[in-house]
Amino acid sequence: MKIGIIGSGHIGGTLTRRLSALGHDVTVANSRGPESLTELARESGATAGTVEQAVQDAELVVVAIPLFAVPGLPVQPFDGKIVVDANNYYPQRDGDIAELLDRSLSSSRWTADHLKGARVVKTFNNIQAAHLMDHGRPADAGDRIALPVAGDDADAKQLVMQLVDALGFDPVDAGTLDESWRQQPDTPVYGTDRDAAGVRQGLAEARP
C-alpha cells in the first residue's frame, strides 16, 4: 500500500521502518519539515515529505504525534482517508482538555472530531515502540502479542487489522471509537503485551 506517516518519534519512526521493510510505499512527515527526516528516510527507504505530501495519495495514514498537535493538522487532505490514530492523551504533555480529563470523550473520538471526514481507527497506542519494532511474530507462533483495534468503519477496521497481523501481532476487535477508552493509558491492556485472550479480558475489565 501507499502509506503516509505523520510523526517521526518513537511510534511513527518505528512504523516507518517496519512498514517500509514489509514493502509498503511509505512517506513520512513531521512538524519540522522533510529536511529533518533525511536520516530516517535513508535508513528505512521511506520518502521524506510534508504532511500534505504524506497524506495526498495515501491509501492509509498513521497519525503518531502529540495529541495537542492534532488540531493543527490540515483537515481537508484527510477527508475520506483511513487514518490510524496511534496517539494517547497525556495531560502533563498535552495540557488540560476538559472532555478528555473527565473521559466524556475517548481521545480517538476527539481526534476524529477534528479530522472531519476521516475514517479513524485506533491502534498501536498501547504497545511500547521497542516491542512494536522487535516483538512481531509469525501467524502460527504461540507467543504473539495482541493489539486492540477500535473503529466505526468496518472496512477500514478490517484493513488495519490485516496490517497489524502482517506486522506480527494478533489484532483484536475492540469495538467502536467511543469504546476505545478501554485501550487508553491506565487501562489493563495499556503497555502490558497481552495475548489475544488477555486483551479481550482486559478490555472487558476496563473501568472509566
Side-chain angles (χ1 to χ4, degrees), residues 9 29-30 42 50 54 69 76 102 104 106 110 135 166 202 204:
N30 64 13
R42 186 186 305 117
T50 64
Q76 193 280 328
D102 68 16
S104 59
S106 69
W110 185 86
H135 291 184

Side-chain angles (χ1 to χ4, degrees), residues 27 30 56 62 79 100 168 171 174 183 190 192 196 203:
T27 299
N30 64 13
Q56 184 176 13
V62 177
D79 188 28
L100 300 184
Q183 66 198 73
Y190 182 76
T192 52
L203 292 171

Side-chain angles (χ1 to χ4, degrees), residues 3 7 24 29-30 46 50 93 103 106-107 154 166 174 185 206:
I3 296 176
H24 296 289
N30 64 13
T50 64
R93 179 195 65 187
R103 297 207 176 197
S106 69
S107 65

